[in-house]
Amino acid sequence: MRRAVFPGSFDPITLGHENIIRRALSMFDEIVLAVGVNTSKKTRFTLDQRLEMLNLVFQDVAQVRIESYQGLTVNFCDEIDASWMLRGVRNGGDFEYERTIAQMSKRLNSSLETVILFTDPEYAAISSSVVRDILSNGGDISEFVPQAVLKFV
Ligand code: ADP
């Protein structure tokens, strides 16, 4: 069973995340979307809302499973027997960040490999934080997020 974890806050999920996940489906038997719970981090959407959004977006995809976790991502991968971590990269900044995380994850769990997909260019400027800024200022986010997110705003 080729199982990958795609970890993130998904606050909220964007079309960029969805694109990476759908493109990776041919590479894995199962992709676990893992919502990291960080009690000291204030989120725009509650954990339940974020889980429900993900469930709605991927309700048509049997290969995708949604979970939440606390603590180190590498430990969560170990617990659910996932040998790959899936990440997306938009630009040089993401690249440097992801390289550090991947190399540190390897130090903590040497059997875990990080797989990176580069974003398709039309999604390169989309981030959850920009979506949250647009929302706080009353703007329209419908071009940047899956439709299912809109029922939560
Ligand atoms: P975190 O809160 O851990 O940064 P995010 O939800 O922002 O989590 O991102 C999770 C993963 O999705 C990261 O690998 C990030 O680089 C990637 N990602 C975020 N936005 C995009 C996008 N528009 N295109 C491709 N990958 C993306």
Side-chain angles (χ1 to χ4, degrees):
M1 165 67 110
R2 298 174 67 84
R3 180 179 292 123
V5 165
F6 186 69
S9 311
F10 304 106
D11 187 35
I13 179 173
T14 68
L15 292 180
H17 295 128
E18 183 182 4
N19 173 256
I20 297 289
I21 296 158
R22 290 192 187 269
R23 281 167 53 205
L25 287 172
S26 63
M27 301 163 63
F28 300 104
D29 299 310
E30 183 174 75
I31 298 178
V32 178
L33 308 186
V35 184
V37 180
N38 179 345
T39 40
S40 65
K41 197 164 149 192
K42 187 94 188 77
T43 55
R44 170 75 169 70
F45 296 94
T46 66
L47 176 61
D48 282 349
Q49 287 176 323
R50 286 176 283 147
L51 292 171
E52 202 182 326
M53 282 173 199
L54 291 171
N55 274 303
L56 286 169
V57 175
F58 293 101
Q59 61 188 352
D60 58 322
V61 190
Q63 256 170 287
V64 169
R65 198 172 106 197
I66 324 286
E67 302 270 357
S68 64
Y69 72 100
Q70 287 195 344
L72 287 175
T73 308
V74 292
N75 292 348
F76 177 70
C77 293
D78 224 17
E79 273 163 35
I80 66 163
D81 209 16
S83 305
W84 293 273
M85 191 141 75
L86 174 66
R87 302 289 287 177
V89 159
R90 287 162 288 195
N91 50 42
D94 273 2
F95 174 81
E96 292 299 335
Y97 177 74
E98 295 297 341
R99 178 173 59 177
T100 309
I101 299 281
Q103 289 173 340
M104 194 48 88
S105 300
K106 197 70 185 275
R107 292 276 292 272
L108 293 169
N109 178 353
S110 61
S111 60
L112 192 63
E113 289 292 353
T114 298
V115 173
I116 303 273
L117 291 186
F118 292 96
T119 187
D120 283 341
E122 62 267 43
Y123 304 110
I126 304 177
S127 67
S128 296
S129 64
V130 166
V131 166
R132 291 195 300 274
D133 283 347
I134 297 171
L135 269 181
S136 324
N137 291 290
D140 178 11
I141 60 163
S142 54
E143 264 182 75
F144 312 120
V145 296
Q147 267 231 298
V149 172
L150 301 176
K151 68 177 259 205
F152 296 87
V153 302

